[in-house]
Amino acid sequence: MMNDELYDKLAEFDHCIIQHTEYRNAVNGIKQCWKRTVTSSTKATSCMLIAQGGLGKTTICNKVLQEFKPSIKEYEEHTIRKNPAFYIQIPAGSTIDSLAILMLHKLNDIDPSFGTRADRSFRLNAKLKESQTELIIFDEFHHIYSTQSSKFKNNKSNENIANWIKTLSDENKICICLVSLPEYVEIFERDSQQSRRFKNKYYIHPLSIKDNKNHVHIKPFLQEVDNFIKEKMKIKSIKFSDDELALRIFIATGGYHDYVMSIIKDAIQYAFEEEVADLSIKHLEKAWNTDITAYVRLSETNPFTMSINSLKKFLI
């Protein structure tokens, strides 16, 4: 059983954020769209962040939002809260009105649900101007298309929500970043106006085990993990970026960033619990056996016990 000190040490690993090429391109791209919006006298520049779950979309959003700090401006008779950027996670089954209420809450409205739909819409536009909002990130945007019927055609509700967001951007000159799963982008783009408005797209892919100019290779990613463990956590460890071990980790995780980090963190915990000096491959073997990567793994056989010949099949 680990003590609180070791749990605190394990929690340090949560600060290991690997800023790989696609990560940097997305962060810089979203910020460039925002900058083009605030410097233009006429129109907003919006964008999309597109990736499967487990590839760091939320981490990228948090990194972008670090650039924007809410503030309070005091006047003689009133106070204004400036909120230059904020994040909204769209729940499944959302409507225009339910999104307006969520946004009013983010903008510190006293009673977001108060009034009629028209009242809330008017108040939202007033709050956006008062708060001098310049960037809104809508995460889980695919939820407005996630019903079975929406996979085949736009229904009126989905189309209305998408158009409402576009109008919100136009009327208030706000940069909008929509965060979505890849399979729903084509549905969204059936509307040529939306395709034109959100032509700036930033894709995040799973890490690759082969050289591919369009994907980030897993080895440099794991080299950064090696450096973090050595410099920040001060524990002895096998080198995750060694060719053979990198391949084993790739098979175990499919190259999905979150699963790579999760299996390594679990392995670190097993080493702590055993009170051993070194983090070894047997700790990764134990972590895999918990099925933590079952959703994305490329083999039903534990890759940390595979023979070299078995591993090589995944390089073909």
Side-chain angles (χ1 to χ4, degrees), residues 189-292:
E189 289 190 325
R190 290 174 190 172
D191 183 333
S192 60
Q193 285 195 44
Q194 303 292 14
S195 178
R196 179 171 58 85
R197 297 297 177 109
F198 292 89
K199 55 182 171 287
N200 299 288
K201 297 180 180 66
Y202 308 103
Y203 285 86
I204 311 297
H205 302 93
L207 301 166
S208 174
I209 196 62
K210 300 175 183 177
D211 290 330
N212 183 331
K213 65 179 182 179
N214 296 319
H215 293 190
V216 175
H217 198 284
I218 196 169
K219 276 199 66 176
F221 186 97
L222 291 172
Q223 284 168 354
E224 292 297 318
V225 176
D226 286 333
N227 293 338
F228 183 91
I229 290 174
K230 180 181 178 181
E231 295 170 12
K232 303 294 184 182
M233 300 191 71
K234 312 292 185 186
I235 59 176
K236 293 182 180 178
S237 172
I238 46 174
K239 283 192 69 176
F240 297 110
S241 57
D242 281 348
D243 288 349
E244 182 187 309
L245 189 52
L247 176 55
R248 293 181 190 275
I249 292 171
F250 175 77
I251 296 167
T253 64
Y256 280 77
H257 311 59
D258 181 65
Y259 289 93
V260 170
M261 303 305 279
S262 293
I263 200 169
I264 292 174
K265 184 177 180 180
D266 278 14
I268 294 170
Q269 179 167 340
Y270 282 122
F272 285 171
E273 288 174 347
E274 293 176 8
E275 298 181 351
V276 295
D278 294 352
L279 175 61
S280 69
I281 193 170
K282 73 174 184 178
H283 298 120
L284 287 164
E285 178 188 338
K286 288 179 71 173
W288 192 90
N289 283 333
T290 66
D291 288 336
I292 190 173

Side-chain angles (χ1 to χ4, degrees), residues 244-245 247-248 251 302-304 306-316:
E244 182 187 309
L245 189 52
L247 176 55
R248 293 181 190 275
I251 296 167
N302 192 322
F304 301 106
M306 279 185 184
S307 67
I308 298 296
N309 285 338
S310 295
L311 291 174
K312 286 180 180 177
K313 295 175 183 176
F314 290 89
L315 292 174
I316 298 173

